[in-house]
Amino acid sequence: MFDPEVWIMLGRGLLESLYMTLVSTALAYLLGLPMGIAMVVTDKEGIYPRERFNWILGLIINLFRSIPFLILLIMVLPVTRAIVGTTIGTNATIVPLVIAAAPFIARLVESSLKEVDKGVIEAAQSMGASSMQIITKVLLPEARPSLIVGAAIAVTTILSYSAMAGFVAGGGLGDIAIRYGYHRYQTDIMLVTVVLLVLIVQVLQEAGMRLARLGDKRK
Amino acid sequence: MSDDLPIIKIEGLSKAFQGPDGEFFALEDINLEIKSGEIFGIIGMSGAGKSTLVRCINFLERPTQGTVYFDGQNLSDLTKKELYKIRQSIGMIFQQFNLLMQRNVLGNVCFPLEIAGVEKDQAVERAKELLSMVGLSDKTYAYPSQLSGGQQQRVAIARALATNPKVLLCDEATSALDPATTKDVLMLLKDINKNLGITIVIITHEMKVIEEICNRVAIIDKSRIAEVGSVEEVFTRPKTAAAKRLVFPEEHSIEMVPGKRCCRIVFNGNSSFEPIIAGMVLDFRQPVNILFADTKNIDGKAFGQMVIQLPDNELTASRMMEYLRAKNLTVEEVDGYV
Ligand SMILES: Nc1ncnc2c1ncn2[C@@H]1O[C@H](COP(=O)(O)OP(=O)(O)OP(=O)(O)O)[C@@H](O)[C@H]1O
Ligand SMILES: [Mg+2]
């Protein structure tokens, strides 16, 4: 139905989208995971209560979470240029993606870790576990299934954000959809990109759910 | 360490919580000594402060006031690291077992050893040893969700014993179990106490648990210790109202019978009561009315009390009381309901 060049372009777009999504997710977890852990640990009821710190961190997270992604994309352009040297292409898109996704991931991680039974934490404390041991040996492993579900949500959300970066020539499937579907009225190409995006989301989501269920020993 | 030095000593301990309307004392002026090697029970109604007290013993909760000595050391003096270390000598088990759900049984028992920095091989060996002691060797690789409540509590006991603690704290450890399983778990605890010499502190709201295995008991009522003593003593002759309420809860239903004399007979294990009452009725050829009877089997001896209504005749009544006293029973006259 399309020329081979179109397929090649779509294939490239697919790879670019996956690249942006996966790299951004990994980097965003690098920031968001510690933030989420910090939120739980320093909570009033946490194992290392620090109410002021908790309040400030929560505020920062909320602040970033409330900025719409398209606006954030433009707001951080100077930061992007400073880090990557350019504001277009996949690498440039990773910067705003990470900045937008990290606080979102922090909240996902926070809610997963809060599901861990207080009694189990208390048991670990009664054995003389330090806060760090509780984080690495109790909180994270016990919340694993929920963290994996969270990761599936995070990765699919980041994918859809990455498609929005098409508006600023961010590369990937979103970029193609906007260039052909919006600027040139080639809706068939746009439709194919949408189908591809839907498929990736399905696959990632399903894989995440299965992985979570497989590793869950509570059933 | 000398044997009569208490392993746990609590002095003037209070714990305040920030409640909705100001400070609220969950514990007030608690003084307790728990001897090495005993099974010590702490009983009280819901909300009396039992869990808070037991959490103060390993400093999961820091007392607002007062001191806790463990094995002669003042816990308030310890650094965080030292406190972590000392907690390894204080095992704890809970009502809800609190096992790690994502680890199998072996992993759970290895957990405190991992925390203590014991090498993996050694930890596994020790864990297997403990699992065989609690009779769960065949469940080594099962996950907690695949076990019954009683089995989960056994795993928790094995886990709590992994680091060779001197004391085992049990907070309502049998409250989620059925009576038969409760008995099994209590027997296991008794064996552990006897064979390993581990001091056991049992928190419960059930009399049965205390009767079954404790040597001494403290009654906690509205944030304070109401009474402490041997189980025998406290359960046969409770002194305080709080203790009486716990030991003889049915008493409230005994109605006052005007004009008739009632007396309470206390059985302290020296005799069984049926023949005595029957004998008395035969000897005096006068009926007595049994208003209330409650006996318990403590350590194989009969304990309990009975409230009987004596005949109207003053002389017969006092002679009957003499008769009972002569049989080594504690007899006291009570008015109305007791
Ligand atoms: N962290 C806390 N903050 C505020 N109040 C608390 C806290 N922990 C306990 N309390 C209060 O202290 C009192 C004693 O609680 P505790 O849990 O020690 O009772 P308990 O005797 O163990 O009762 P139960 O048999 O129901 O377990 C209760 O009124 C409870 O609400
Ligand atoms: Mg309690």
Side-chain angles (χ1 to χ4, degrees), chain A residues 161-203:
Chain A
Y161 278 6
S162 81
M164 272 192 242
F167 277 108
V168 293
L173 290 172
D175 203 345
I176 295 170
I178 285 162
R179 268 189 283 134
Y180 288 82
Y182 186 68
H183 295 306
R184 300 190 201 166
Y185 306 107
Q186 280 183 270
T187 38
D188 50 352
I189 292 183
M190 188 178 70
L191 271 176
V192 175
T193 61
V194 169
V195 169
L196 283 172
L197 284 170
V198 168
L199 281 176
I200 305 175
V201 168
Q202 281 299 320
V203 169

Side-chain angles (χ1 to χ4, degrees), chain B residues 278-294:
Chain B
M280 181 175 77
V281 170
L282 286 176
D283 283 2
F284 285 83
R285 297 176 185 283
Q286 286 273 351
V288 296
N289 192 10
I290 297 175
L291 293 178
F292 169 81
D294 181 26

